[in-house]
Amino acid sequence: MNLYTFTSLLLIAIGVYGLLSQRHLFKMLVSLSVLELGVNILLVSIGYSKDGVAPILTPPEQIINPVDPLPQALVLTAIVIGVGTTALMSAIIVKIYKRTGTLDLSSNRGEDE
Amino acid sequence: MNPTFMIAIPLLTAFLLFVLPKRRWLNTLFITLVALFTSVYSIAGLFNIEKSMSFGMGGWPTPFGINLVVDNLSAFFVMVTQLSFLLTIFALFGWYRAERYSGALMMTFLAAVNGMILTGDLFNLFVFMEIASVSLFALLNLRESSGSLKATFNYMVLNALASSVYLIGIALVYRATGTLNMADLSQKWGVISEASATTVFLMLLTPLLLKAEIFPLNLWAPRIYGRSSAGITTLLAGMVAPAGFYAMIRLFSLLSSSGTTQNSLLILAVLTMVIGEVVALTRKSLREMLGFSSVAGMGVLLMAALSNAMEGALFHLFNLALAKVVMFLSVELLTAGGRDDLESLKGTYKRNPAMAFVFASGAFSVAGLPLFAGFRSKLIILSDMMKAEHYIITAVFIFASIVEFFYYTRAVQHIFSSNEEIAGGRQCSHPLSTLVLLAAAIFIIFTGIYPESVMALAEKAQMALTDVGAYVASVLGGM
């Protein structure tokens, strides 16, 4: 297991811990972001090879030790999706705060039912 | 049928809505036209499929690029989801006129659900799942309340967790086999050792179980169904859950899994069914009752799929999706979006007799009363499970059906009981939506009496599912 895989697993663990232990909506959102970051690093670490080069604009015969570009493409997509969900979640959190006046998930203040 | 249209046209419309002049009727017209087109196109395509067809996207050769697959199975599921969508659009005609934003969200949602079903690539499936979820999260809050917002937040957190698990699964699959194409993967699946294969398989299944509302990943469902507008939760019960179920059975057939995995999933499915039915019995709110019943229905489907009753499961999925959509919509129109506890429903049939009839036909279909479509499919599931000698599960299934029958009859009885306080004449649904829902209700009864046409489609779909060789050959070109 290289350093990147280790880091990613550590970040995933931090994220899961944060999600389980926090009741504050924004702290939960931050935990989720940390978790997603960990997953993205895990994806990149799969294509990693030591001293590899990115196979962009290099003639095929000169590439000796290429980095696998596919996981990087996957991560780009995953990051974009992550940004989208984070933005939507922030919007929903703001709306919850406006309606209930609290950011605590376990509080029942302002429930209309 | 060219699957590109099923995704591209709704997606294009979503963006077109922002260019067109800002008129509500124009947006509504556009959305309705697109929904009509995708429905007609998918039904027409369904009858013209000879064998499995694969379409490579973006000019890449297939195992490397993304491909879309059309065969009898995926076309069947696309047809089911299109019908749900079309019904929803028409039934909401009366009170819902599309704003630009919600119209565009509906369109991206439609495109993403079609993509989830048609895609042949694991990562592409992830992308479409996320697009569908994000559009749905926003749509669920069309009529926002602090309850619906909190329920959505819950759902989003669970969904993000499940997606992360899926992504880790993708990372592991790619590391072990070097491919993310489902057909290619089914050829190389043997490379992974059995213990790791089970782990990876369950990781890939996690978000699909969440979408298909299988216990214990369905904890979000009751709150969403109870607090959001029923017009939108039809999209959940009639489109997202079937799409998740489709992806699940596709993975089951392509990637071999150990007997233990299948058995534990079967236990989860039975638990989903029993818990769903029993809790539905205790609910006072009609929307929550329908929500739990829909969870239980997905349990029935997974149970049937895992115990050699796949054909019945596919037929039941069609009936269930139709009946659920019809029931959610008629509840929305019966209550006019207001109170929905059983007591306040007393005598509502006077207010809107057509909707009461529609609700009753949907309820009796799900409950499995003879003459209604659900009876036929439940019978097939029962007899197939008996043939496969799953006696204990069959007994549990019968018990669950009795519970289901009881609470649906109770709801229908409340609606049709007489109540002096409610005066007649308060019609709150648009004539067009009444007409479309009535047509759907009559179709449910028609399918109950003449089940052959839908049965034939389910049978063809089931054959396409088991014929893994044809699927792989169509994608990889006989490699």
Side-chain angles (χ1 to χ4, degrees), chain B residues 238-258:
Chain B
M239 296 178 74
V240 177
F245 183 68
Y246 165 80
M248 207 151 51
I249 57 176
R250 187 58 107 188
L251 287 186
F252 274 133
S253 82
L254 287 178
L255 314 176
S256 63
S257 51
S258 67

Side-chain angles (χ1 to χ4, degrees), chain A residues 79-96:
Chain A
I79 289 174
V80 172
I81 291 173
V83 169
T85 29
T86 311
L88 186 63
M89 278 181 101
S90 328
I92 290 209
I93 292 175
V94 169
K95 285 200 158 184
I96 292 179

Side-chain angles (χ1 to χ4, degrees), chain B residues 135-329:
Chain B
S135 323
L136 191 69
F137 295 146
L139 280 173
L140 284 170
N141 289 297
L142 269 189
R143 197 164 53 205
E144 70 178 51
S145 64
S146 63
S148 80
L149 286 167
K150 278 189 170 179
T152 312
F153 184 80
N154 246 348
Y155 186 17
M156 290 182 86
V157 170
L158 278 174
N159 191 66
L161 259 178
S163 308
S164 301
V165 173
Y166 185 80
L167 267 185
I168 298 173
I170 278 187
L172 297 176
V173 165
Y174 187 71
R175 179 174 228 160
T177 63
T179 184
L180 289 175
N181 183 293
M182 291 185 199
D184 201 18
L185 182 63
S186 80
Q187 301 299 92
K188 296 178 178 161
W189 188 245
V191 175
I192 313 176
S193 72
E194 201 188 317
S196 331
T198 306
T199 318
V200 171
F201 186 68
L202 287 178
M203 280 179 140
L204 294 181
L205 232 48
T206 309
L208 305 176
L209 289 169
L210 182 107
K211 296 265 179 299
E213 303 165 2
I214 300 298
F215 179 82
L217 291 169
N218 58 8
L219 298 174
W220 53 271
R223 293 184 73 182
I224 290 279
Y225 279 114
R227 309 270 164 93
S228 308
S229 115
I232 300 300
T233 45
T234 52
L235 300 179
L236 208 54
M239 296 178 74
V240 177
F245 183 68
Y246 165 80
M248 207 151 51
I249 57 176
R250 187 58 107 188
L251 287 186
F252 274 133
S253 82
L254 287 178
L255 314 176
S256 63
S257 51
S258 67
T260 325
T261 318
Q262 303 222 350
N263 283 338
S264 17
L265 284 170
L266 184 58
I267 293 173
L268 284 186
V270 172
L271 275 178
T272 311
M273 176 178 75
V274 174
I275 295 175
E277 304 286 26
V278 171
V279 178
L281 183 67
T282 65
R283 290 294 110 167
K284 292 278 184 297
S285 145
L286 200 56
R287 286 196 192 96
E288 274 184 44
M289 191 191 93
L290 286 178
F292 276 104
S293 165
S294 139
V295 165
M298 294 314 291
V300 171
L301 291 181
L302 185 60
M303 176 198 71
L306 287 171
S307 49
N308 304 331
M310 185 55 90
E311 192 189 322
L314 292 172
F315 185 28
H316 197 52
L317 176 117
F318 178 86
N319 295 334
L320 211 58
L322 195 63
K324 279 282 143 56
V325 169
V326 158
M327 276 195 293
F328 274 116
L329 292 170

Side-chain angles (χ1 to χ4, degrees), chain B residues 326-477:
Chain B
V326 158
M327 276 195 293
F328 274 116
L329 292 170
S330 58
V331 165
E332 188 69 24
L333 296 175
L334 265 179
T335 61
R339 284 178 63 201
D340 69 333
D341 51 301
L342 284 173
E343 285 306 311
S344 71
L345 276 173
K346 272 193 175 168
T348 33
Y349 80 101
K350 277 186 195 156
R351 206 191 286 160
N352 199 336
M355 280 308 120
F357 167 72
V358 168
F359 179 82
S361 60
F364 287 141
S365 176
V366 176
L369 199 73
L371 278 186
F372 292 88
F375 171 69
R376 296 285 187 162
S377 45
K378 274 194 171 175
L379 206 62
I380 295 171
I381 292 179
L382 263 182
S383 67
D384 279 0
M385 278 185 0
M386 289 296 274
K387 260 183 232 156
E389 304 187 337
H390 290 285
Y391 296 120
I392 302 175
I393 300 173
T394 316
V396 179
F397 177 48
I398 293 174
F399 164 74
S401 297
I402 292 171
V403 174
E404 190 169 38
F405 186 78
F406 178 72
Y407 65 74
Y408 272 122
T409 326
R410 187 181 59 182
V412 172
Q413 192 196 353
H414 269 92
I415 289 177
F416 280 95
S417 68
S418 57
N419 184 352
E420 309 305 316
E421 285 170 35
I422 289 182
R426 216 186 107 207
Q427 187 91 7
C428 51
S429 59
H430 194 275
L432 186 65
S433 57
T434 312
L435 204 68
V436 170
L437 282 178
L438 270 179
I442 290 168
F443 184 71
I444 288 176
I445 300 173
F446 177 79
T447 320
I449 302 172
Y450 301 104
E452 287 79 16
S453 51
V454 184
M455 275 285 298
L457 292 177
E459 201 175 322
K460 269 159 74 182
Q462 193 254 343
M463 266 148 64
L465 178 67
T466 41
D467 195 356
V468 179
Y471 178 88
V472 172
S474 80
V475 175
L476 300 180

Side-chain angles (χ1 to χ4, degrees), chain A residues 25-72:
Chain A
L25 294 178
F26 264 111
K27 286 181 184 165
M28 290 177 78
L29 180 60
V30 170
S31 312
L32 259 185
S33 304
V34 172
L35 177 77
E36 275 167 11
L37 186 67
V39 175
N40 289 341
I41 293 179
L42 181 72
L43 271 171
V44 173
S45 79
I46 284 166
Y48 174 77
S49 63
K50 200 161 183 289
D51 300 326
V53 287
I56 306 167
L57 294 180
T58 321
E61 60 274 10
Q62 285 177 26
I63 301 177
I64 303 152
N65 183 17
V67 173
D68 189 345
L70 191 106
Q72 301 185 354

